[in-house]
Amino acid sequence: LPLVGLEIGLIWWICSLLCLYFGLHQLIVGLVLCTVPFFATGFLHLDGFMDVTDAVGSCRDLARRREILKDSHVGSFAVIGCVLLILCQFVFAGAAADSAYLRLLIVIPVVSRCCSSVAVAVLPKMATSQYARKKAGLADILIPGAFLVASFAFSLWVGPRGALVLIAELAGYGLALRKGYVSLEGMNGDISGYALTLGELTALGALAVL
């Protein structure tokens, strides 16, 4: 997962360079930077975000929340959540377009996937999760940990405040993970996508402030 994140991050950063090179309007740059992560992942994590938003927002009992999580129909909470997510991501991406810290786009997807790797490895999983039969090994923690350390080292090299973006991302990921995990009482791929999406949104918001 961290390697996949690195590939996505490089694509994200290269797209930002091309937008700036051709002098595109800031709104167009915002649109490109907003959508690149979704297209690069085939909307996989956005789907998880919508599923969990629907389930958690329903405020039903646990059994019903889990049913909603697996329901292929799109509910109102998912639609509302998705609209707000994309609006925020578009605004943050446009505001970050001229940031001196744009190279952090390379490692933002790496950090989120390091978190997902560890969360899936150590947290108790739902019986219906695709990860339920997967037994975590030491490598499932050490390898993402190494990528995480390298990402923070890179952020410090980018600039003195670079690490703040990744710290904000960790906080956003952690809060989202706690929300989804506590509400659904178990870990699965949808919760991973939910936390990953909100973690990266938080990082983009922090990048826009710098």
Side-chain angles (χ1 to χ4, degrees), residues 47 50-55 64 67-79:
D47 176 69
M50 294 179 72
D51 287 341
V52 175
T53 301
D54 244 352
R64 182 58 182 145
E67 285 180 16
I68 294 171
L69 182 69
K70 293 301 179 184
D71 193 338
S72 59
H73 296 87
V74 177
S76 57
F77 291 108
V79 174

Side-chain angles (χ1 to χ4, degrees), residues 97-133:
D98 57 354
S99 172
Y101 291 80
L102 268 182
R103 279 175 289 184
L104 291 177
L105 293 175
I106 298 172
V107 292
I108 287 174
V110 176
V111 171
S112 61
R113 283 157 183 79
C114 287
C115 293
S116 287
S117 296
V118 174
V120 167
V122 304
L123 292 176
K125 305 165 192 62
M126 296 181 197
T128 56
S129 172
Q130 59 183 327
Y131 303 115
R133 297 181 180 178

